[in-house]
Amino acid sequence: MADEIKIDKHIFQERLSHFILSWKADKRAGDASFGGVGSIIILMGKTEEGLGFQKNNAMHFWLLGYEFPATLFLLTIEKLYIVTTAKKAKHLEPLKGGKIPIELLVRGKDAEYNAKLFKQVVDIIQTTGKKVGVIANDKSSGPFVTEWKQAFADIEKESELVDIAPALSSAALSVKDESELRSMRNASKAAVAIMNPWFIEEMSEIIDAEKKISHATLSNKIDSQIDNKKFFKTIPKLPSDFDSSQLDWSYGPVVQSGGKYDLKLSAQPDENNIHAGVIIAGFGLRYKTYCSILARTYLIDPNKSQESNYKLLLTVHQAVIKDIKDGAVAKDLYNKAIGLVKAKKPDMEKHFVRSVGSGIGIETRDSTLQLTAKSTRTLKDGMTLCITTGFQDITNPKSSDKKSATYSLLLSDTVRVSANEGVVFTAEAPTDLESTSFFFKDEAEVPTPKSKEKKDARVGAVATKNIRGNRLRADRSTVADDGAEQRRREHQKELAKKKQEEGLERFAEASGDMNGTQQKTFKRFESYRRDNQFPSKVRELKILVDPKMSSIILPIMGRPVPFHINTIKNATESSEGDTSYLRINFLSPGQGVGKKDDHPFEDASAHFVRSVTFKSTDQTHMKNLSNQITDLKKNVLKREQEKKELEDVVEQEKLIEIRNRRPQRLPDVYVRPAMEGKRVPGEVEIHQNGLRYQSPLRHDHRIDILFSNIKHLFFQPCAHELIVIIHVHLKTPIMIGKKKAKDVQFYRDATDIQFDETGNRKKKYRFDDQEEFEAEQQERRRRQELDKEFKGYAEKIAEAGRNEGVDVDIPFRDLSFSGVPHRANVLCQPTTDCLVQLTDPPFMVLTLEDIEIAHLERVQFGLKNFDMVFVFTDFQRPPFHINTIPVETLEAVKEWLDSVNIAFTEGPLNLNWGTIMKTVTADPHQFFVDGGWSFLGQDSDDEDEESEEEESAYEMSESELAASDVSSEEDSDFDEAASAEASEEGSSDGESEGEDWDELEKKAKRKDKESGLEEEDTGRKRKR
C-alpha cells in the first residue's frame, strides 16, 4: 500500500497557503479566530477505529489526502515542521519547494536522538510566543504521543494553550473547494440510491409480507449493499469515473421503529423486530473521505395526528434549508425553526431537537459549527451542513398497539451553503407526505348500492309529467343506505370540526385587512419634470392633449398648467346656441360613491379643484378635445389593466436543450391557446428541464414550459370525446404571444372524416352494412392507438420531470357531472388531485388541497338544478361557482366531496359571497371564533330535521298505496273529462267572440289551395 500513496503537491501547497494567509489576515483583524497564537500543534497518534474522524486526522486528509499516524505538525506563520518516521518522510519529501517552506524532522530508533528532535520542536515553539494553538479535545494515544507530552511538559506551564479547533474549522475544513464538493455530491447520490428505491422496496416487502426481521439484521443488509458494485453501476446519475470501492460508512446504517428511537448520530440498531408504524432509517456515506448524511421517516398506515405532525416537521425542515445562505447566522436558523413550531403547534416545542444540524465534510459532525440557539458562527458560501430536524418521543393519541403509543420523526439532508438558498445534495430522496406514507391495511369498503326501489310514477294527484323517479327527494335519500348516509354525516362533522380548529390555529391572533378589502395606496403622478419637456404649442395658450406624457395642458390665468390624466374624472362637452362649453371634472374627496371613485388622496383635507369649464364658439374643436380626453383616459386605464394583469407573470429560466441525442417527440399536435398565424399542427419535445412546442411555420413560434413550473399534468383519453389531450396546468402564468396563459394544452383530433388510412378521400356515401361495420372497427382501433400514444408520452413527461414532482393525473369520467363553471354547460370531471374541465376553453382546474369548503346552493324540492361554490384557503381569492348542476347528480357530488375530505354544506338559497368573504377577510380570527363556516350548514340542518319529521309522521301501507293509486287514476280520468268539457265550453264561447287559431289556420290553407299560392311557394322552394 505504501507504494500506492501519491500526494497531490499542488493541492497541498494551495491549501497550506490558504490556511497561512487566513492566519495572517486574522492577526491583522485582531486575532478573532486564531486567538493570537504564534504556533499550532497538530498531533497524530496511533490509528484507532473507534475514534473516527477528529480535527487532527481531518487536517491530515485535508492537506495530504491520507492519514499519517505517529506524526506531528508544527505550524508557524512562516514554516511547517513535520516530525515523522523515515518511511513516511519519503512520501512527504516531494512536497518541498512551494510557497510555504517545509522542514522534515525524521525520527529513528535511537531514543536520545528522538528526544533531541522533540526538544528542537519545543525551542521553536518558545521562539514564536507564549500562546500555543492545540486541539483541546484531542484523544490521540500511543508511545509517540506519550513521548511528545513528556517533552512539551517542560514549557506547558509557561505557555498559554489556546483551543485552535474553531480556527481549523473556519480557515481550513468548513469551506469546501470544487473537488471536495464533487466528492460530497457523489456520496450523496450513492446514499440517495440506497435509500430510494432500494431500502424502500426492502422495507415495503418486509411490512407487506409481515416478516419477522430485526433492526440490526436489516441494518446489516444495508451495510453490505456498498460492496455491491453492480448496484452502483445501474445508478444513472453517478459519474462514469465513480469508484464504489472508495465508499465507506460514516454513520450507521441505523433502522429504528416500535416506540424506541434515538435521534443522535451515535445511535445503534437494536435486536427488536421491525414494527409497522413509524420507521426511521438513517445512514451516512463517505466517498474519498468526504461525508454525506441522509435520514428519512416512513409512516406505515399513519393516522391524522401523525400526518399533521409530519407536515409540520417538513415545513420546519424546508424553512431552515431555505434560509441557509451566505451571511446567515447559525442561531437564527434554529430560532426560526423553533419559532415555526411555537406558532403552529406550541405543544410540540418540548419534543423538538436541540440542534437543527452541524457542519459536515471530512468530519461527520463539526463540533465547532453547530446550528443551536447559542451558536454565533456565520455561514459562508461553500460550507456544507447536515440539516437535521426532528421530534422526539411524541405521544400517539390513536395508537393501535403499545409499540405505536410513542413515536419520533426525523429528517436529515446534506446541504451546501450558497449565495441565495441552500442546495440540497440529497433532494432526490423525497420527503413529501405522499412519498413517505405507506398503506398496507385494507380499508373497509363502504357499500353504496346503485339499485333504487321502483316507485309508481303516479303518486298522489300530481301530474305525471312533473315527477321523475330519480328527482324525488324521497328517492334521493335511498341512493345510499342509511349506514352510508350516517357515516357521511359523521365524517362531515369531523371535517367541519377540523376546519374550525385549523382556522383558529391559522389565525391565532386578530388579523385582517380592516373592511375586508385591501387598503388602497396613494399614487404620485408626474407629467413633466422640466419646462423644456412641454410641447412647443403651449405658447399659444390653448388646451393641449399630450398622449405621450398622458397629460392635459390647460391655460389658466395666462399660464399653461399640466394635469395628469389620472387626476381627471371625465370631460363633457355641451352647446348653447353658438357657444360650446368644455367641462373637465377632477377627482376629489367625497365626490364618488362607487368602488371606482374611491380613490386615496395624500391629504384629503387640502383644497381641491372640482372642475374647470372653458367656452368657445368653435364647437367642432371643443368636441374633438372632449373625445381626445376621453380616449386618452380609456387608453391609460387599458394600459394599467394590462400591466396589472401581467403582474403575476414570472420570467422563466431558459430551457436546456438536449444536444447529445434526439429529444422524445410527439408529432402532429395542436396547441391551445393557439399561436398567431395559420392553424397547423406542430410537435412537442422533451428536453432536460422542460417541454417545447415547436410550430412548423416559424422557428420563433415556440412555447417553452419548464418542469419546475408545472403544477399538474393531465392526460384525457378520447373516449366519448372528439380529441385526445395532454394538459399542463402551470404554477405561474407564461406569455403566449401577447396574452398570458396558466393552462397549455396539446391535443389531436380523434376522428378524421375526410381521409382514410391510405390518404384517399373517403366515399361520400356507404351503402354496405359491412363497410360501415369495418369503419366503426377502424375508428375504435384508431382511438385506442391515440390513447396509448398520448398516455405513453404523458408518462415520459412525468418521468423526465420526476425531480420536480411532475406526475400524470387522469380524469375519472364515472364521477363526472355537468355544470356551468363559466358560460357554457360542460362536463366537470374529478381527478386524484383536482376537479377539471379540459375539453372546451376556458379550462377549469381546481386543486383540491386549495379548497377550504364547498357549499351547495338551491338544494330544495322541486328545482331541477343546484349550484356549487368552492371557497379557497386563500381568502383573498374569490370563490368559484359551478352553476346549473342537474339535481340527479346531487348524491354523487356529495359522495365525491366526502371521499376527497372536502367539508361541504347545503342551503336552499344563493348567497352573496362578496359580502361573506369581505366579512371573513376583515377579521379571520373573529370569524372562526364566532363559529367559522358553521353558519352555512344551519339552514340545511334545520331543513333536514323538518323533512325527516314530515316524512316520518305518516307511512302508507301497501294496501293503502294501491287504493290511492286507483283513486288517483279515477281522479285523473275525471280531470281529463272535466278539462275536455271545459275546453269544449271554452271553444263554444270563443266562437261568439272569435275563432280560435286552429280554425283560422285551416281556413287560410283552404284559401291558399283555392288561389294556387301554395303550389307557387313549393315550386320556389324546389328551385332554391
Side-chain angles (χ1 to χ4, degrees):
M1 290 292 292
D3 296 335
E4 297 177 6
I5 294 176
K6 293 180 181 178
I7 302 172
D8 192 323
K9 181 180 178 180
H10 174 72
I11 291 178
F12 171 80
Q13 284 292 342
E14 185 180 329
R15 292 180 179 177
L16 181 60
S17 300
H18 171 76
F19 182 77
I20 298 297
L21 288 173
S22 299
W23 190 359
K24 291 179 179 178
D26 185 68
K27 276 190 174 296
R28 291 192 296 268
D31 296 322
S33 298
F34 285 79
V37 298
S39 58
I40 298 172
I41 298 171
I42 299 173
L43 181 64
M44 190 70 206
K46 66 178 182 180
T47 304
E48 295 183 23
E49 292 291 334
L51 288 177
F53 280 76
Q54 305 295 326
K55 284 287 185 295
N56 49 8
N57 54 1
M59 284 298 293
H60 276 240
F61 278 106
W62 186 67
L63 288 171
L64 306 173
Y66 299 93
E67 182 182 33
F68 279 55
T71 301
L72 182 142
F73 284 3
L74 175 63
L75 285 150
T76 66
I77 291 284
E78 306 296 336
K79 202 171 186 179
L80 169 62
Y81 300 90
I82 302 176
V83 181
T84 187
T85 60
K87 286 184 178 180
K88 299 184 186 74
K90 289 181 181 179
H91 301 292
L92 299 172
E93 193 69 34
L95 302 179
K96 292 182 177 180
K99 293 180 182 178
I100 307 300
I102 299 173
E103 184 175 342
L104 297 175
L105 304 175
V106 182
R107 284 166 54 84
K109 295 182 179 181
D110 187 356
E112 292 183 7
Y113 176 74
N114 293 339
K116 288 181 181 178
L117 286 180
F118 280 144
K119 182 66 171 66
Q120 184 181 347
V121 173
V122 170
D123 293 340
I124 295 169
I125 293 171
Q126 285 183 308
T127 59
T128 57
K130 287 188 176 182
K131 288 188 176 183
V132 182
V134 295
I135 299 171
N137 296 324
D138 189 2
K139 297 179 181 178
S140 301
S141 61
F144 180 82
V145 175
T146 305
E147 289 180 36
W148 164 249
K149 287 182 177 179
Q150 291 174 355
F152 186 65
D154 298 336
I155 65 165
E156 188 172 359
K157 294 181 181 179
E158 302 173 3
S159 303
E160 181 183 345
L161 303 183
V162 178
D163 185 12
I164 204 65
L168 296 179
S169 174
S170 60
L173 301 174
S174 60
V175 179
K176 315 294 189 299
D177 58 29
E178 185 53 40
S179 63
E180 294 174 291
L181 292 172
R182 192 181 302 113
S183 297
M184 293 192 70
R185 284 193 206 99
N186 290 337
S188 300
K189 289 175 183 177
V192 167
I194 293 175
M195 181 69 78
N196 182 27
W198 187 86
F199 172 76
I200 291 178
E201 291 175 355
E202 288 288 324
M203 177 193 70
S204 301
E205 185 181 347
I206 292 169
I207 300 298
D208 195 21
E210 299 181 357
K211 295 180 181 179
K212 303 283 185 182
I213 294 179
S214 68
H215 299 133
T217 303
L218 182 56
S219 299
N220 292 334
K221 196 171 183 180
I222 301 171
D223 192 342
S224 62
Q225 189 64 15
I226 64 168
D227 299 325
N228 187 353
K229 294 184 179 180
K230 291 182 180 179
F231 170 75
F232 291 104
K233 288 181 180 179
T234 60
I235 301 171
K237 300 231 168 179
L238 287 174
S240 57
D241 59 346
F242 181 81
D243 184 6
S244 61
S245 63
Q246 297 205 46
L247 278 175
D248 196 6
W249 294 106
S250 61
Y251 149 62
V254 180
V255 180
Q256 305 176 74
S257 67
K260 294 181 180 179
Y261 302 91
D262 184 357
L263 304 188
K264 297 178 183 178
L265 283 177
S266 57
Q268 295 294 326
D270 56 30
E271 294 297 331
N272 294 325
N273 289 334
I274 292 175
H275 177 260
V278 176
I279 299 175
I280 296 178
F283 47 77
L285 280 178
R286 187 186 301 277
Y287 183 72
K288 294 183 178 179
T289 72
Y290 286 89
C291 301
S292 173
I293 288 180
L294 173 64
R296 292 289 181 264
T297 299
Y298 296 104
L299 308 175
I300 311 300
D301 298 311
N303 55 44
K304 299 296 180 184
S305 173
Q306 290 175 325
E307 288 182 349
S308 176
N309 290 333
Y310 183 83
K311 286 179 181 177
L312 173 62
L313 178 64
L314 185 58
T315 302
V316 173
H317 192 74
Q318 292 171 344
V320 172
I321 291 174
K322 189 175 182 181
D323 280 5
I324 293 175
K325 56 186 176 182
D326 188 37
V329 181
K331 65 179 182 181
D332 292 344
L333 298 176
Y334 183 82
N335 291 334
K336 175 161 187 178
I338 199 70
L340 272 173
V341 176
K342 287 180 181 178
K344 292 184 177 291
K345 287 191 177 182
D347 56 317
M348 294 296 291
E349 181 188 356
K350 60 185 178 183
H351 301 287
F352 194 63
V353 291
R354 297 290 174 259
S355 169
V356 293
S358 62
I360 189 173
I362 297 175
E363 294 177 281
T364 307
R365 176 176 170 272
D366 187 349
S367 58
T368 65
L369 180 52
Q370 297 287 322
L371 306 184
T372 60
K374 297 181 180 179
S375 177
T376 57
R377 281 286 296 271
T378 302
L379 304 184
K380 296 180 182 179
D381 189 4
M383 283 185 174
T384 48
L385 306 171
C386 172
I387 300 301
T388 300
T389 56
F391 293 114
Q392 178 84 47
D393 297 334
I394 310 168
T395 302
N396 186 3
K398 297 180 179 179
S399 60
S400 57
D401 50 50
K402 289 183 180 180
K403 290 186 176 181
S404 300
T406 305
Y407 66 96
S408 299
L409 302 172
L410 180 70
L411 290 174
S412 292
D413 280 295
T414 303
V415 182
R416 180 209 163 171
V417 181
S418 65
N420 299 319
E421 190 175 329
V423 179
V424 185
F425 287 167
T426 51
E428 291 183 19
T431 55
D432 60 286
L433 183 61
E434 185 178 350
S435 301
T436 55
S437 299
F438 298 86
F439 297 90
F440 294 97
K441 292 180 181 178
D442 295 331
E443 296 181 1
E445 295 183 0
V446 180
T448 54
K450 296 290 182 183
S451 59
K452 300 179 181 178
E453 296 179 8
K454 292 185 178 180
K455 299 281 183 178
D456 196 316
R458 299 163 298 178
V459 176
V462 185
T464 309
K465 63 182 180 180
N466 292 330
I467 299 180
R468 298 179 185 176
N470 57 353
R471 296 286 298 278
L472 288 173
R473 180 171 58 183
D475 289 349
R476 288 206 303 269
S477 64
T478 61
V479 172
D481 61 10
D482 293 338
E485 177 67 21
Q486 185 64 29
R487 278 193 292 272
R488 188 170 70 193
R489 288 186 180 183
E490 292 297 327
H491 187 219
Q492 282 300 311
K493 286 180 181 178
E494 291 177 8
L495 291 175
K497 184 179 178 182
K498 183 181 178 183
K499 285 294 176 188
Q500 176 69 9
E501 292 173 354
E502 288 177 354
L504 290 171
E505 188 178 339
R506 279 172 61 195
F507 306 101
E509 298 177 359
S511 59
D513 50 8
M514 293 159 289
N515 62 347
T517 57
Q518 291 184 350
Q519 189 71 11
K520 294 182 179 180
T521 56
F522 173 74
K523 279 187 178 180
R524 289 184 176 274
F525 304 106
E526 195 170 41
S527 295
Y528 303 96
R529 292 188 177 184
R530 294 178 296 277
D531 294 344
N532 58 7
Q533 291 180 331
F534 278 98
S536 58
K537 292 183 179 181
V538 294
R539 295 173 184 173
E540 300 176 8
L541 291 178
K542 292 183 179 179
I543 300 174
L544 293 177
V545 179
D546 187 359
K548 184 179 178 182
M549 304 301 290
S550 301
S551 300
I552 298 167
I553 303 172
L554 304 178
I556 299 177
M557 300 181 69
R559 289 180 177 272
V561 181
F563 293 90
H564 198 277
I565 192 65
N566 286 326
T567 64
I568 296 174
K569 185 178 181 182
N570 56 33
T572 59
E573 185 267 339
S574 60
S575 299
E576 284 187 14
D578 296 334
T579 305
S580 181
Y581 295 89
L582 177 65
R583 179 184 176 92
I584 300 175
N585 298 313
F586 296 95
L587 294 169
S588 58
Q591 190 176 26
V593 293
K595 289 183 179 179
K596 294 182 179 178
D597 300 318
D598 186 17
H599 292 274
F601 296 91
E602 187 174 20
D603 183 7
S605 62
H607 292 281
F608 288 84
V609 177
R610 281 283 180 94
S611 64
V612 176
T613 305
F614 295 88
K615 70 177 182 178
S616 173
T617 56
D618 190 349
Q619 295 184 2
T620 306
H621 180 61
M622 284 298 196
K623 189 70 175 176
N624 289 337
L625 285 174
S626 176
N627 292 336
Q628 288 177 27
I629 294 171
T630 304
D631 292 342
L632 180 59
K633 182 78 176 173
K634 288 179 180 177
N635 293 335
V636 170
L637 186 62
K638 184 179 178 182
R639 285 201 302 269
E640 287 181 355
Q641 288 176 344
E642 289 176 352
K643 185 179 179 182
K644 187 176 181 181
E645 188 180 351
L646 299 178
E647 280 180 352
D648 57 346
V649 177
V650 179
E651 186 176 353
Q652 293 189 116
E653 298 178 3
K654 289 186 178 180
L655 185 77
I656 303 173
E657 298 183 34
I658 293 176
R659 300 292 185 185
N660 55 352
R661 60 179 175 82
R662 185 184 179 89
Q664 294 172 321
R665 291 190 171 103
L666 182 65
D668 300 328
V669 293
Y670 297 96
V671 65
R672 290 195 291 196
M675 304 183 72
E676 297 177 358
K678 188 178 178 182
R679 179 179 176 271
V680 293
E683 62 182 9
V684 186
E685 301 174 347
I686 301 176
H687 290 276
Q688 289 187 28
N689 63 337
L691 306 175
R692 168 169 288 173
Y693 175 82
Q694 181 64 58
S695 171
L697 295 178
R698 290 173 53 182
H699 183 68
D700 58 342
H701 273 205
R702 58 174 59 165
I703 301 172
D704 290 346
I705 303 172
L706 298 187
F707 293 136
S708 59
N709 195 26
I710 296 178
K711 187 174 184 180
H712 298 293
L713 175 67
F714 302 102
F715 159 70
Q716 180 173 297
C718 56
H720 310 287
E721 301 287 351
L722 297 176
I723 55 176
V724 58
I725 295 169
I726 291 177
H727 187 96
V728 180
H729 182 67
L730 305 176
K731 296 175 183 176
T732 55
I734 60 173
M735 294 301 295
I736 299 179
K738 295 181 180 178
K739 295 182 179 179
K740 72 172 185 178
K742 203 171 182 180
D743 290 273
V744 182
Q745 187 176 103
F746 309 111
Y747 71 96
R748 190 185 297 170
D749 294 330
T751 56
D752 191 358
I753 300 172
Q754 296 179 349
F755 299 94
D756 60 15
E757 297 83 0
T758 61
N760 298 321
R761 188 172 293 274
K762 289 184 178 180
K763 297 176 182 178
K764 190 172 182 181
Y765 302 104
R766 294 186 182 275
F767 300 99
D768 191 0
D769 291 342
Q770 184 64 29
E771 290 181 356
E772 291 182 5
F773 178 74
E774 289 177 2
E776 289 176 3
Q777 292 290 341
Q778 290 174 3
E779 179 75 12
R780 192 176 292 110
R781 284 194 296 270
R782 187 170 184 273
R783 284 175 173 267
Q784 289 175 353
E785 290 172 2
L786 274 176
D787 286 346
K788 184 179 179 182
E789 182 182 3
F790 270 66
K791 185 179 181 181
Y793 196 77
E795 290 172 349
K796 290 177 183 177
I797 294 173
E799 178 66 22
R802 68 178 186 276
N803 294 338
E804 299 293 342
V806 179
D807 198 8
V808 185
D809 211 351
I810 302 176
F812 302 119
R813 195 177 182 89
D814 295 341
L815 302 176
S816 63
F817 56 89
S818 62
V820 183
H822 296 102
R823 293 182 180 179
N825 195 319
V826 294
L827 193 69
C828 305
Q829 303 182 79
T831 71
T832 305
D833 301 318
C834 303
L835 177 65
V836 300
Q837 186 283 119
L838 309 176
T839 306
D840 300 310
F843 306 117
M844 178 190 73
V845 178
L846 299 179
T847 306
L848 299 183
E849 64 180 12
D850 294 343
I851 296 173
E852 173 82 3
I853 193 171
H855 182 65
L856 310 179
E857 298 180 328
R858 297 194 301 120
V859 180
Q860 54 181 308
F861 178 73
L863 294 182
K864 297 180 181 180
N865 305 303
F866 69 96
D867 304 331
M868 182 160 52
V869 182
F870 290 109
V871 181
F872 299 100
T873 52
D874 179 7
F875 295 150
Q876 299 297 335
R877 187 175 170 186
F880 190 87
H881 296 251
I882 301 179
N883 301 323
T884 324
I885 305 172
V887 76
E888 292 89 342
T889 59
L890 178 61
E891 286 298 325
V893 169
K894 287 182 179 180
E895 192 64 33
W896 167 70
L897 289 171
D898 189 67
S899 66
V900 294
N901 295 328
I902 293 178
F904 69 86
T905 56
E906 60 181 88
L909 301 174
N910 290 108
L911 302 178
N912 188 345
W913 286 99
T915 305
I916 293 172
M917 295 313 297
K918 191 174 181 180
T919 305
V920 175
T921 54
D923 191 351
H925 175 70
Q926 189 60 40
F927 172 74
F928 282 101
V929 169
D930 294 340
W933 304 108
S934 59
F935 75 95
L936 294 173
Q938 289 174 358
D939 295 338
S940 60
D941 291 343
D942 295 342
E943 186 182 345
D944 290 341
E945 290 174 5
E946 290 174 7
S947 64
E948 286 174 7
E949 290 174 2
E950 291 172 4
E951 290 171 2
S952 61
Y954 178 70
E955 293 182 1
M956 297 176 67
S957 64
E958 292 183 2
S959 60
E960 289 172 334
L961 180 62
S964 66
D965 291 343
V966 173
S967 63
S968 63
E969 287 177 3
E970 293 173 355
D971 292 343
S972 62
D973 294 340
F974 175 79
D975 293 340
E976 288 171 4
S979 61
E981 291 175 5
S983 62
E984 287 176 3
E985 291 174 5
S987 62
S988 62
D989 293 341
E991 285 177 359
S992 61
E993 297 175 4
E995 297 175 345
D996 64 359
W997 286 106
D998 293 337
E999 291 295 324
L1000 290 171
E1001 191 173 358
K1002 289 177 182 178
K1003 285 183 179 181
K1005 285 185 178 181
R1006 284 198 297 269
K1007 288 181 180 180
D1008 288 342
K1009 286 181 180 179
E1010 291 172 1
S1011 61
L1013 289 172
E1014 189 175 0
E1015 293 178 1
E1016 290 179 10
D1017 290 339
T1018 54
R1020 287 173 189 164
K1021 290 178 183 177
R1022 281 195 292 268
K1023 287 178 183 178
R1024 289 175 189 168

